[in-house]
Amino acid sequence: MLGIEGLSPETISGLLDLSESYIDQNRSIDKRRDLLTGRTVINLFFENSTRTRTSFEVAAKRLGADVINMDVATSSVRKGETLLDTAMTLNAMRPDAIVVRHSESGAVNLLSQKVNCTVINAGDGQHEHPTQALLDALTIRRRRGRLEGLQVAICGDIMHSRVARSNIHLLLIMGARVRVVGPPTLMPTDIDKMGVEVHYNMKTGLKDVDIVMMLRLQTERMQGSFVPSISEYYRFFGLDREKLKVAKPDSLIMHPGPMNRGVEIDSEVADDLDRSVIHEQVEMGVAVRMACLDALIGGRRNAMGAAA
Amino acid sequence: MSGNVVRGVPPHAGSTAYINARIVDPTANSEYRGAILISDGKIADFGPTLFASGAPYGIESVDCRDLYLAPGIVDTRVHTGEPGEEHKETLESAGVAAAVGGITSLVLLPDTEPPFDDASLIEFVARRARQVKLANMYAFGALTAGLEGKELAEIGLLAEAGAVGFTDADRAVGNAQVLRRALYYAKAFDALIVHLPQEPTLSGGHMSSGVMATRLGLAGNPPLAEVMMVERDIRLVEMTGGRLHLAKISTAESVKVIAAAKERGLKITCDTAAPYFALNDLAVGDYRTFGKLVPPLRSEADREAIVEGLKSGVIDAIVSDHRPQDQDSKRVPFAQAEPGGIGLETLLPVSLELVHNGHLSLPQLFQRLSSTPARLFNLPGGKLAKGAPADLVLFDANYAWKIDRADLWSKTKNSPFDERPVQGKVVATIVGGRAIYRDDDFTSAAAAA
């Protein structure tokens, strides 16, 4: 599973339905099933991400798989071993799935060409982060009952965000309308040609939207290179109660985490129990990743169909 | 593709007649059935009436069986790995690939390790070319010391040692003052400066900007980074009166601006490389690193404009921009991959698409491939003329085949044209009167006849 782009609405719905079934399991006392007993899942993270890695690890373990975490930032890749050497080495150990996070766009596609097990993209550079988009969709669908016809604003650093790209693909495939909101320096070229509406200010961008998705702004990009300063960014693009006024009164607030409080989001809205679903997103993350592992290596191929 | 590359043959003495050929004469802009007589490595005679009444008696004759015979290709942009990266390409392996590709003269870029910024390296190339005994090999001198774009290289000494032009290869000279002084200084030696116009501060990306780059999540190079440098360079030519040739034009806007400059009477010339009229940015889809080039492959609209530029003559020449890269340089994530593609063996078949698609006549194509580059760089080949070197290519313009990188003779296989169906194949390559390459089928057919 390399990306959302190219998936059919049926495949996505199927995965979301399957995820639903794992939510109750995760909330019960006995969280473990033995669907993946005997299967090996390797978490191969070339870039640190405690949250995503933990989420995949919990998901795999709850299905009974053996999980190996490879923190590549401290291993042989530092000694000059190439990405493909690492892939071939792991492949020889016959895992059933490799979950990969890498800082370069396309690195996961490249790796997947050289191994003969299932590869799940846990985020590659600025390209895609498919399970994040699925968990966001699951969160929205449970709160709103549907995705079709909803007006969604994705705000902040669109240019460098794989989360934005995967969400744009998924939401458009499922019939939602998508706006991207942020400073022009953080908008990728021709983003409008992907079928989204582009806004440079929060007032028009958030007007009457159902969903507000905030994105994380990397620290190194806030000091003069893409935006002049943190305080200027917060003033014009940080989500606070005031800017949120133009959105629908019951609009949901989402963030893939980890949040920079006081940069892209104000604590008051982030912690708003009625509208912020940020912790729910984390919960859905485990369910969605269980569904992906189930569909891809659980022996049930129907949910993913040809895309598997 | 199978054939024989013949090395180590002494300079051809005596005479050979190539008869029953369809001759392509770019200088006269004509095409006719006729013959060419070669004596002592030079063209002794040629024309439609020569040997019209039959094969000449008493001298060796080759029946071309109605195949095309044209001046050999003069490729003025070739990277090899010698010296410094011989595992990618040596002058010998590049010479073999050139022979198979119908290229009879090539000009080597100076971005080797060490770079050609010292006269001894220009002499080294000449010496190695004499040993390799394949295509004629010439070398660029570095434009600036160490190709760093800061201080002028020893242009005079390099020219004296035989450098045929000056360039920093795939690096643009960002500092206008440096290029201005280089253009002034080079006038003393009537030297041609070749510059790749890409504004360096805007060219840090990995493919052309646009929706494709946005989808793939790759940093883009805007097409305008090219034209703004073209515009600056045109003003520098106006200011200095120097001889400037712009390399690898890839965008529609650049073609427009160069056309306007030529209309104003400025002596400025340019070339493009085969990928820019044959491919667009879809070729990098799914992170295909063989499509990572400098400048990056552009949009379909840009590609069409490059074809138009070749048609109108605004773009004077076509180069292969042969740049070998080994697997370690290409089988990595896209952003980390080295740019460049090999092109010596595919230059003619891919360029023939311009003829098959009705954009150029064969004589026009060989103006862009042979006669014009030879004239710009003051090289002896590239034309049909009595007394000119007998550097020729015999080819079948219609033979259909599919490029397969595994069959290419280059040391590395990074062809952006891998798996492309093409029409046209080199049958023999003749340098200084001797055939340095012969296709097996042709050889056996000739023997049977």
Side-chain angles (χ1 to χ4, degrees), chain A residues 5 83-84 104-107 109-110 113-114 126-127 165 169 188-191 193-194, chain B residues 206 209-211 213-219 286-287 328 330-336:
Chain A
E5 188 174 12
L83 172 67
L84 291 181
E104 298 284 4
S105 304
N109 300 46
L110 178 69
Q113 291 161 15
K114 300 296 164 196
Q126 301 164 12
H127 176 225
R165 285 176 179 74
H169 289 305
T189 316
D190 290 345
I191 184 78
K193 290 187 186 155
M194 285 179 73
Chain B
H206 305 293
S209 302
V211 69
T214 292
R215 272 176 196 280
L216 292 174
L218 293 170
D286 205 24
Y287 303 100
D328 289 349
K330 285 290 190 185
R331 281 176 58 184
V332 290
F334 198 89
Q336 294 168 3

Side-chain angles (χ1 to χ4, degrees), chain B residues 9-183:
Chain B
V9 180
H12 189 91
S15 300
T16 310
Y18 284 81
I19 58 168
N20 298 328
R22 290 208 258 181
I23 293 174
V24 179
D25 183 345
T27 325
N29 199 21
S30 66
E31 189 188 320
Y32 51 83
R33 283 190 166 68
I36 296 180
L37 176 66
I38 296 170
S39 282
D40 299 328
K42 299 204 181 324
I43 297 173
D45 202 359
F46 66 102
T49 52
L50 184 65
F51 309 131
S53 47
Y57 187 74
I59 53 173
E60 187 194 344
S61 77
V62 176
D63 183 353
C64 298
R65 291 180 290 125
D66 237 10
L67 296 171
Y68 287 99
L69 189 59
I73 296 169
V74 178
D75 183 358
T76 62
R77 197 171 185 90
V78 178
H79 300 257
T80 74
E82 188 173 344
E85 288 190 305
E86 286 85 354
H87 61 288
K88 292 185 178 174
E89 194 90 282
T90 59
L91 294 177
E92 171 113 24
S93 64
V96 170
V100 176
I103 294 163
T104 53
S105 292
L106 45 84
V107 184
L108 301 161
L109 287 160
D111 57 341
T112 46
E113 187 49 52
F116 298 166
D117 62 356
D118 187 281
S120 63
L121 283 144
I122 307 295
E123 286 156 6
F124 162 81
V125 169
R127 191 171 65 246
R128 288 284 291 129
R130 282 195 300 274
Q131 290 166 356
V132 170
K133 286 196 175 75
L134 288 164
N136 305 300
M137 291 188 185
Y138 305 93
F140 275 107
L143 182 62
T144 65
L147 310 176
E148 282 171 358
K150 293 176 190 150
E151 292 153 14
L152 296 185
E154 293 170 333
I155 291 175
L157 291 174
L158 289 162
E160 210 172 59
V164 297
F166 296 86
T167 186
D168 279 356
D170 280 354
R171 299 194 200 174
V173 179
N175 187 326
Q177 180 69 292
V178 171
L179 189 61
R180 175 180 166 225
R181 290 206 176 120
L183 283 162

Side-chain angles (χ1 to χ4, degrees), chain A residues 54-191:
Chain A
T54 310
S55 182
F56 269 107
E57 185 175 351
V58 168
K61 283 184 170 164
R62 283 190 182 160
L63 293 173
D66 297 315
V67 184
I68 289 102
N69 288 318
M70 281 204 51
D71 186 3
V72 192
T74 55
S75 83
S76 54
V77 172
R78 281 251 174 101
K79 296 174 199 152
E81 190 179 66
T82 67
L83 172 67
L84 291 181
D85 287 338
T86 308
M88 306 287 251
T89 305
L90 293 179
N91 189 50
M93 299 177 191
R94 305 200 167 272
D96 298 280
I98 306 182
V99 177
V100 192
R101 158 73 58 98
H102 198 282
S103 58
E104 298 284 4
S105 304
V108 184
N109 300 46
L110 178 69
L111 186 143
S112 74
Q113 291 161 15
K114 300 296 164 196
V115 298
N116 40 28
C117 65
T118 292
V119 174
I120 298 178
N121 183 359
D124 65 320
Q126 301 164 12
H127 176 225
E128 284 230 43
H129 189 356
T131 55
Q132 177 72 41
L134 286 165
L135 73 89
D136 287 341
L138 183 63
T139 309
I140 298 169
R141 204 178 77 165
R142 280 172 63 84
R143 286 291 188 121
R144 287 287 176 269
R146 64 191 163 96
L147 293 166
E148 196 179 350
L150 293 179
Q151 185 73 254
V152 183
I154 305 176
C155 313
D157 183 359
I158 311 291
M159 179 185 271
H160 301 101
S161 177
R162 53 191 169 224
V163 175
R165 285 176 179 74
S166 284
N167 265 311
I168 290 169
H169 289 305
L170 188 145
L171 292 164
L172 293 176
I173 291 167
M174 299 310 285
R177 284 173 293 164
V178 181
R179 299 177 189 173
V180 289
V181 192
T185 45
L186 293 175
M187 284 295 170
T189 316
D190 290 345
I191 184 78

Side-chain angles (χ1 to χ4, degrees), chain A:
Chain A
M1 177 174 213
L2 303 176
I4 297 292
E5 188 174 12
L7 295 186
S8 69
E10 294 73 27
T11 302
I12 292 167
S13 297
L15 278 172
L16 296 180
D17 295 344
L18 191 55
S19 307
E20 295 267 4
S21 71
Y22 284 114
I23 296 169
D24 291 336
Q25 181 185 328
N26 288 336
R27 286 178 181 175
S28 68
I29 297 175
D30 188 10
K31 299 180 175 60
R32 194 176 160 121
R33 278 175 56 188
D34 52 7
L35 185 79
L36 298 185
T37 304
R39 316 267 160 106
T40 306
V41 175
I42 298 180
N43 281 330
L44 178 60
F45 278 57
F46 292 90
E47 197 182 64
N48 289 327
S49 165
T50 316
R51 295 165 154 257
T52 308
R53 206 210 63 213
T54 310
S55 182
F56 269 107
E57 185 175 351
V58 168
K61 283 184 170 164
R62 283 190 182 160
L63 293 173
D66 297 315
V67 184
I68 289 102
N69 288 318
M70 281 204 51
D71 186 3
V72 192
T74 55
S75 83
S76 54
V77 172
R78 281 251 174 101
K79 296 174 199 152
E81 190 179 66
T82 67
L83 172 67
L84 291 181
D85 287 338
T86 308
M88 306 287 251
T89 305
L90 293 179
N91 189 50
M93 299 177 191
R94 305 200 167 272
D96 298 280
I98 306 182
V99 177
V100 192
R101 158 73 58 98
H102 198 282
S103 58
E104 298 284 4
S105 304
V108 184
N109 300 46
L110 178 69
L111 186 143
S112 74
Q113 291 161 15
K114 300 296 164 196
V115 298
N116 40 28
C117 65
T118 292
V119 174
I120 298 178
N121 183 359
D124 65 320
Q126 301 164 12
H127 176 225
E128 284 230 43
H129 189 356
T131 55
Q132 177 72 41
L134 286 165
L135 73 89
D136 287 341
L138 183 63
T139 309
I140 298 169
R141 204 178 77 165
R142 280 172 63 84
R143 286 291 188 121
R144 287 287 176 269
R146 64 191 163 96
L147 293 166
E148 196 179 350
L150 293 179
Q151 185 73 254
V152 183
I154 305 176
C155 313
D157 183 359
I158 311 291
M159 179 185 271
H160 301 101
S161 177
R162 53 191 169 224
V163 175
R165 285 176 179 74
S166 284
N167 265 311
I168 290 169
H169 289 305
L170 188 145
L171 292 164
L172 293 176
I173 291 167
M174 299 310 285
R177 284 173 293 164
V178 181
R179 299 177 189 173
V180 289
V181 192
T185 45
L186 293 175
M187 284 295 170
T189 316
D190 290 345
I191 184 78
D192 55 312
K193 290 187 186 155
M194 285 179 73
V196 301
E197 223 177 86
V198 182
H199 291 268
Y200 298 139
N201 75 71
M202 296 287 270
K203 269 226 172 68
T204 63
L206 296 190
K207 183 125 179 65
D208 297 327
V209 297
D210 299 283
I211 312 287
V212 183
M213 282 185 178
M214 299 307 298
L215 297 172
R216 181 181 163 80
L217 182 67
Q218 302 281 342
T219 350
E220 65 270 21
R221 298 190 178 121
M222 0 174 167
Q223 288 144 353
S225 49
F226 289 87
V227 293
S229 68
I230 296 177
S231 52
E232 178 157 333
Y233 186 78
Y234 179 66
R235 167 81 178 74
F236 294 99
F237 299 98
L239 187 69
D240 56 19
R241 182 81 48 212
E242 183 60 31
K243 296 191 191 86
L244 199 53
K245 273 183 183 164
V246 296
K248 283 190 183 157
D250 61 346
S251 57
L252 299 178
I253 297 156
M254 306 178 76
H255 193 295
M259 288 182 279
N260 294 308
R261 291 169 184 269
V263 178
E264 70 259 358
I265 192 161
D266 184 58
S267 281
E268 196 192 352
V269 282
D271 300 334
D272 182 335
L273 288 176
D274 296 326
R275 299 172 67 181
S276 166
V277 292
I278 294 168
H279 295 294
E280 210 170 307
Q281 287 174 273
V282 179
E283 186 189 352
M284 294 308 128
V286 176
V288 154
R289 286 162 185 139
M290 288 168 85
C292 290
L293 288 166
D294 178 354
L296 292 164
I297 60 168
R300 295 209 315 240
R301 300 278 165 186
N302 52 328
M304 282 296 291

